[in-house]
Structure formats: structure tokens, C-alpha cells
């Protein structure tokens, strides 16, 4: 089984050891659980969306379709910006 090793200051190790004792686990188990939780959180921050071929084609078509703007939006875009007046 692969191993992980790291260097840490005495202060960090003491803090980790105190937290591990509170949880009732070893230092190694505490570090493994904490790093796994951080990994899951990181992966969940960037979800992967899978689309089948039809859904992908529909998505691309929606992106490529011309924008149908409401007349009031077109009017706002046609105005000269205040800083250019």
C-alpha cells in the first residue's frame, strides 16, 4: 500500500495530536480523515456535468442561437454611456 509522509513543526503536530485525541483516533487516522474530507470538498466545488450526445447538441445549439433581447434591453444598449456625454 502506498504511503504518504510529510514534515510538520512540533506545534502543528501537537495540535493534530490534540485533535486526534478528541476524536479518539490516531494521528495518522486523523490526518487521513481530514485530508479526505478536504479532497471531497474540493472536488464538490467543481462539479462535473455529463451530457449525452443529444443533450450536448441541444446545449451547443442554445449557445449558438441568436439572442432575442427584450426591446427595453436593446434601448439601453443603444444609449450613449453617461461618461461619454
Amino acid at each position: 500500500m502506498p504511503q504518504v509522509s510529510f514534515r510538520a513543526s512540533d506545534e502543528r503536530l501537537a495540535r493534530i495530536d490534540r485533535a486526534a485525541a478528541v476524536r479518539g483516533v490516531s494521528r495518522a487516522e486523523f490526518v487521513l480523515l481530514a485530508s479526505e474530507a478536504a479532497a471531497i470538498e474540493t472536488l464538490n466545488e467543481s462539479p462535473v456535468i455529463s451530457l449525452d450526445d443529444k443533450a450536448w447538441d441541444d446545449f451547443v445549439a442554445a449557445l449558438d442561437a441568436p439572442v432575442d433581447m427584450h426591446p427595453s434591453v436593446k434601448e439601453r444598449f443603444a444609449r450613449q454611456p453617461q461618461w461619454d456625454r
Side-chain angles (χ1 to χ4, degrees):
M1 180 179 293
Q3 291 185 348
V4 176
S5 63
F6 59 91
R7 295 178 191 266
S9 67
D10 291 340
E11 294 83 14
R12 280 185 162 178
L13 288 178
R15 189 176 310 118
I16 291 169
D17 288 342
R18 286 194 312 270
V22 168
R23 292 274 171 97
V25 296
S26 68
R27 176 193 292 169
E29 183 67 14
F30 183 84
V31 170
L32 182 60
L33 290 170
S35 60
E36 184 179 25
I40 291 169
E41 181 180 333
T42 299
L43 293 172
N44 286 336
E45 289 173 358
S46 301
V48 175
I49 299 171
S50 298
L51 302 174
D52 61 26
D53 289 342
K54 181 181 179 341
W56 175 256
D57 291 341
D58 291 345
F59 175 69
V60 171
L63 292 176
D64 290 340
V67 177
D68 184 22
M69 286 193 278
H70 190 274
S72 65
V73 175
K74 286 182 183 179
E75 180 184 318
R76 284 207 181 262
F77 277 116
R79 288 185 197 167
Q80 186 178 24
Q82 187 174 3
W83 55 84
D84 285 345
R85 293 182 194 164

